[in-house]
Amino acid sequence: MTVMHIGLTDGSNLLTNYMGTSYMVAVLISVFADTFIGRYKTVIISSVIELVGLLILTLQAHSNKLKPPYCVFPFDPKCETVSGDGRTHLYVGLYLVAIGSAGIKAALPAHCADQFDEKHPTEKLQMSSFFNWLLLSLCTGGAISVTVFVWIQNYKGWDKGFGAATGVMGLALLVFIAGLPGYRISVVQGSTALLEILQVYVAAIRNRNMKLPENPDELYEISKSKAPPDTDFMAHRDKPFRFLDKAAIVQAPTDEAPSPWRQCRVTQVEHAKTVLAMVPIFCSAIIMSTCLAQLQTFSIQQGVTMDRTIGTFKMPPASLPIIPLIVLVFAVPIYERGFVPFARRITGHPNGIPHLQRVGVGLVLSIVSMAIAAVVEVRRKRVAARHGMLDANPMLGKQLPISCFWLAPQFTVFGVADMFTFIGLLEFFYSQAPPALKSMSSSFLWCPMSLGYFLSTIIVKAVNAATKGATASGGWLAGNNINRNHLDLFFWLLAVLSFLNFLNYLFWASWYKYKPQQSAHVPAEHKV
């Protein structure tokens, strides 16, 4: 907004579209990583792509020719929005960063989890701890980003801020490469496991008129004694989705081998059942990601209008996310070292509490966060009205006499919700996904997050269109003056949507049955 002179709504949608693209591309890259080049190479290549994107943004920030002339946006009518080469550089740089970070999101968590053996009792517990420490690492990096880097950008220049990010990204790449000799490297699949899952659905439809055998042992499966040592086997389950068993009906003998689009292994069918059963759980993260998008956009704009002084220091509004990050930096070790061992002794579960219960706690906290955000926004607007500052220009230093730390509760509660829901989902997907889909398991989380960011863009536009004639500002979120908007009503809308989402989640979470953690034994006498 301040440099490129893009309006509040358009700027918010630009950010959510950028984030949505990053998470969506992660899904595609994870397939590419598993099929062709492997996870660690994907991390290296993606880091280089992100480096190039950051370098382009650094060069743009340093060149006056690639930025619009300075003005006090949006109050100066002569302000020019970025266009031409400047707009091209902005989008190319942003989306190279999006693609690069997408590759890291897709491959790094699964590569790290590959370092632990799920069948080893000690390493299985260590893998559970790893996901908590991964969150701690993300929070630590985020805390440095919204404090040190924001300070550099605000007081030393955006070019130096992006330059520092480029340098740190280069250092991260060198550190990752330095660990190569000690990594456990996963074997490249050579074919996408998604194709095998798709074959099950197609085969079940093609065999829909065939009768299932009474004895499930008559369904097709290869002989364990003749299979390669690393072949995965999974026992047949009657529920859920019994109709998919038709994909494993043995076809009448012919001179040619049966088509994989007509006859699938029992293990292949069970993997397809697991993936299909995870879809409703997967969808529960969409609304929560939509709520997260608002804290990264509109809540930052709330902070711009509020008093941000701490003693003699004035905190930049972009540093407001430090509040949940600091909470998480302390909360994750307490959760890992305190709560998990205590809960483990009571429940006997290696993770303290099951994955789906952890996710449910986070979804409840996200509802609370949106409700708090709505209440705080009502108070902020009342302060603006009481002091006659509804049209005050925060860019000229006219902040409302209300501390930005009123925003702390909504950020804090949502930060804790993050710890429960997103890390719980990441661990859930990794533990439940078929072995060949382990790398893609993290994408099962990034995809709903992507949809959540895109949904945020849609909801913002839909709300403005639906309320255009009902408000003086031309919509709840229309215009660049947040004091004249109805952000409080928008937050209440998100709280209601989050509550309905939680009720939907409760149904599917109670219905879901965890898959067996050990591979089932398949009798050697099963016919090929």
Side-chain angles (χ1 to χ4, degrees):
M1 289 183 68
T2 58
V3 178
M4 297 299 175
H5 307 155
I6 298 175
L8 174 59
T9 300
D10 290 338
S12 297
N13 288 340
L14 173 60
L15 173 61
T16 52
N17 288 339
Y18 156 81
M19 297 291 289
T21 300
S22 177
Y23 287 119
M24 184 62 73
V25 173
V27 180
L28 303 178
I29 292 180
S30 65
V31 176
F32 181 79
D34 278 352
T35 307
F36 297 106
I37 64 174
R39 295 160 195 167
Y40 80 96
K41 290 182 182 178
T42 301
V43 174
I44 294 173
I45 294 173
S46 299
S47 298
V48 172
I49 293 174
E50 186 167 351
L51 268 173
V52 174
L54 287 169
L55 184 60
I56 290 175
L57 292 176
T58 303
L59 294 175
Q60 181 178 26
H62 187 72
S63 172
N64 290 329
K65 294 181 180 179
L66 298 174
K67 296 179 293 187
Y70 173 79
C71 68
V72 183
F73 183 82
F75 298 92
D76 187 344
K78 297 180 181 179
C79 279
E80 298 178 14
T81 302
V82 64
S83 60
D85 289 344
R87 194 174 187 87
T88 301
H89 274 75
L90 175 64
Y91 277 87
V92 170
L94 279 176
Y95 282 92
L96 281 177
V97 174
I99 293 170
S101 61
I104 297 173
K105 290 183 183 79
L108 186 61
H111 168 76
C112 294
D114 286 339
Q115 311 311 305
F116 307 96
D117 185 355
E118 282 189 285
K119 297 180 181 179
H120 191 283
T122 302
E123 292 194 16
K124 184 176 181 179
L125 296 178
Q126 291 173 338
M127 186 175 71
S128 175
S129 297
F130 155 72
F131 285 104
N132 290 325
W133 296 121
L134 173 65
L135 176 62
L136 180 64
S137 299
L138 293 171
C139 292
T140 303
I144 296 172
S145 176
V146 299
T147 52
V148 177
F149 283 10
V150 167
W151 183 85
I152 294 173
Q153 289 166 350
N154 281 359
Y155 296 101
K156 300 298 181 180
W158 280 89
D159 54 345
K160 293 180 174 61
F162 281 126
T166 305
V168 170
M169 190 66 221
L171 178 62
L173 177 58
L174 293 177
V175 170
F176 181 82
I177 292 175
L180 282 177
Y183 294 149
R184 290 175 178 173
I185 305 299
S186 65
V187 179
V188 177
Q189 300 295 324
S191 62
T192 173
L194 279 182
L195 183 62
E196 295 184 359
I197 301 298
L198 181 60
Q199 286 173 345
V200 172
Y201 301 142
V202 172
I205 294 173
R206 295 179 69 180
N207 299 344
R208 62 188 179 279
N209 295 325
M210 300 179 68
K211 185 178 179 181
L212 280 170
E214 295 289 336
N215 186 355
D217 290 341
E218 296 178 19
L219 295 172
Y220 173 72
E221 182 58 280
I222 62 176
S223 171
K224 190 173 184 180
S225 62
K226 297 180 181 179
D230 58 347
T231 302
D232 182 49
F233 287 90
M234 191 171 176
H236 173 266
R237 295 175 295 173
D238 287 333
K239 296 178 180 180
F241 310 122
R242 180 166 168 74
F243 69 90
L244 290 179
D245 288 342
K246 292 193 174 185
I249 295 177
V250 177
Q251 303 298 303
T254 61
D255 294 336
E256 298 181 359
S259 167
W261 297 93
R262 173 76 77 174
Q263 178 177 296
C264 304
R265 296 174 53 204
V266 167
T267 299
Q268 195 177 339
V269 171
E270 293 305 317
H271 288 168
K273 289 180 181 179
T274 300
V275 171
L276 190 58
M278 288 195 296
V279 169
I281 308 297
F282 155 108
C283 293
S284 67
I286 295 177
I287 294 295
M288 188 168 177
S289 298
T290 301
C291 297
L292 174 61
Q294 313 318 315
L295 296 182
Q296 295 174 331
T297 53
F298 290 113
S299 288
I300 300 298
Q301 291 305 313
Q302 286 177 291
V304 170
T305 68
M306 302 169 79
D307 181 15
R308 305 186 303 277
T309 55
I310 306 174
T312 58
F313 175 73
K314 191 169 186 177
M315 183 172 66
S319 295
L320 285 172
I322 189 62
I323 297 169
L325 291 172
I326 289 178
V327 170
L328 286 175
V329 165
F330 288 99
V332 170
I334 293 173
Y335 178 87
E336 172 62 27
R337 296 302 188 192
F339 176 78
V340 171
F342 173 75
R344 191 180 289 154
R345 286 195 295 269
I346 296 175
T347 65
H349 195 279
N351 305 105
I353 58 175
H355 309 305
L356 296 181
Q357 289 183 12
R358 181 173 179 175
V359 173
V361 171
L363 293 179
V364 170
L365 291 177
S366 71
I367 301 171
V368 175
S369 175
M370 289 297 100
I372 293 174
V375 172
V376 169
E377 174 62 5
V378 170
R379 178 173 177 79
R380 190 193 67 82
K381 289 179 64 176
R382 284 177 179 172
V383 169
R386 187 163 59 245
H387 291 82
M389 299 181 67
L390 288 175
D391 296 309
N393 183 356
M395 309 307 295
L396 299 178
K398 296 180 180 179
Q399 271 76 35
L400 303 178
I402 176 174
S403 174
C404 69
F405 286 99
W406 276 89
L407 301 174
Q410 66 201 58
F411 277 107
T412 300
V413 173
F414 202 92
V416 177
D418 252 353
M419 182 183 72
F420 280 94
T421 296
F422 288 119
I423 300 304
L425 283 173
L426 190 61
E427 192 172 351
F428 167 73
F429 291 142
Y430 189 87
S431 66
Q432 298 297 295
L437 287 177
K438 291 296 185 185
S439 182
M440 279 205 65
S441 63
S442 60
S443 299
F444 294 155
L445 174 60
W446 308 138
C447 190
M449 291 186 71
S450 170
L451 295 175
Y453 280 104
F454 286 130
L455 180 62
S456 172
T457 300
I458 295 171
I459 290 179
V460 168
K461 291 183 177 293
V463 165
N464 278 339
T467 60
K468 185 175 182 180
T471 57
S473 59
W476 284 2
L477 306 172
N480 293 313
N481 187 351
I482 197 172
N483 296 330
R484 294 288 185 181
N485 288 349
H486 296 274
L487 190 58
D488 52 330
L489 299 179
F490 183 62
F491 282 141
W492 280 122
L493 173 64
L494 291 177
V496 171
L497 291 177
S498 298
F499 177 71
L500 296 176
N501 178 57
F502 175 68
L503 294 180
N504 179 64
Y505 172 80
L506 278 182
F507 172 81
W508 292 110
S510 60
W511 170 83
Y512 185 85
K513 303 298 181 186
Y514 291 97
K515 77 169 189 177
Q517 290 301 303
Q518 298 295 330
S519 296
H521 173 72
V522 178
E525 60 268 22
H526 274 201
K527 294 182 179 180
V528 176

